[in-house]
Amino acid sequence: MNRTAIITVAAVSALAVGGTAAYAYYSWTHNTKVTIKSAEVTEPSVKISGSVTGMLPGDIRTLTALVGNDNDFPVRVTKMAGGTAATRSGCPEWAIRVKEPSRSDPALLVPAHSSKKITVRVEMQRWADQKCAGQEFALDLVTSIAPAS
């Protein structure tokens, strides 16, 4: 091979290798913005209806809780508990308490955009004595609600 041919082959080879190497250095990164809006969430409502009179130690009576769910997703009542404060007559606190329902109870599921009646069981403790007779109690009912999973 003559000297001109060798130089030409070397120059073409250098361009080919250099061109490939330059191409390999290109890269692209895309930064795309997407708008995501969270759901509107409304606190479910709980209203109690009914009344309990004439309870004796060991009695279990019921009230009705109406749980309203205005959300686009179902919710589940995860806890229903509570009790009473001590009375001036000396009846101890928690003489009357809510018997908490099983968390797996399907009746505790409230579908989206609906309301559901849930039975609340109230029990006067067997240990309640004469100090609890003829008293009026204020039941403190705690209801916890979470999105159903």
Side-chain angles (χ1 to χ4, degrees), residues 77-92:
V77 175
T78 58
K79 180 179 184 178
M80 247 181 184
T84 55
T87 65
R88 280 189 249 149
S89 67
C91 182

Side-chain angles (χ1 to χ4, degrees), residues 18 46 62 67 85 93 137 149:
V46 179
T62 60
V67 179
E93 65 182 1
F137 299 90
S149 52

Side-chain angles (χ1 to χ4, degrees), residues 57-115:
D59 281 355
I60 296 175
R61 305 282 175 87
T62 60
L63 296 168
T64 300
L66 180 64
V67 179
N69 178 18
D70 292 333
N71 292 298
D72 293 331
F73 51 88
V75 296
R76 178 176 296 281
V77 175
T78 58
K79 180 179 184 178
M80 247 181 184
T84 55
T87 65
R88 280 189 249 149
S89 67
C91 182
E93 65 182 1
W94 292 85
I96 298 177
R97 67 180 187 133
V98 173
K99 292 186 67 71
E100 192 168 346
S102 167
R103 290 188 175 113
S104 61
D105 187 345
L108 300 179
L109 182 68
V110 183
H113 301 289
S114 67
S115 60

Side-chain angles (χ1 to χ4, degrees), residues 1 10 21 32 38 43-44 50 55 59 83 107 115 126 136 140 147:
M1 227 191 221
T32 307
S38 61
E43 183 177 350
M55 284 195 87
D59 281 355
S115 60
R126 292 191 186 282
E136 188 170 293
D140 184 19

Side-chain angles (χ1 to χ4, degrees), residues 15-76:
L15 284 173
V17 171
T20 303
Y23 176 77
Y25 285 107
Y26 286 122
S27 68
W28 294 268
T29 301
H30 291 276
N31 186 5
T32 307
K33 303 250 188 232
V34 177
T35 301
I36 297 174
K37 185 176 180 184
S38 61
E40 294 287 331
V41 178
T42 304
E43 183 177 350
S45 62
V46 179
K47 295 178 184 168
I48 303 295
S49 63
S51 63
V52 176
T53 59
M55 284 195 87
L56 296 170
D59 281 355
I60 296 175
R61 305 282 175 87
T62 60
L63 296 168
T64 300
L66 180 64
V67 179
N69 178 18
D70 292 333
N71 292 298
D72 293 331
F73 51 88
V75 296
R76 178 176 296 281

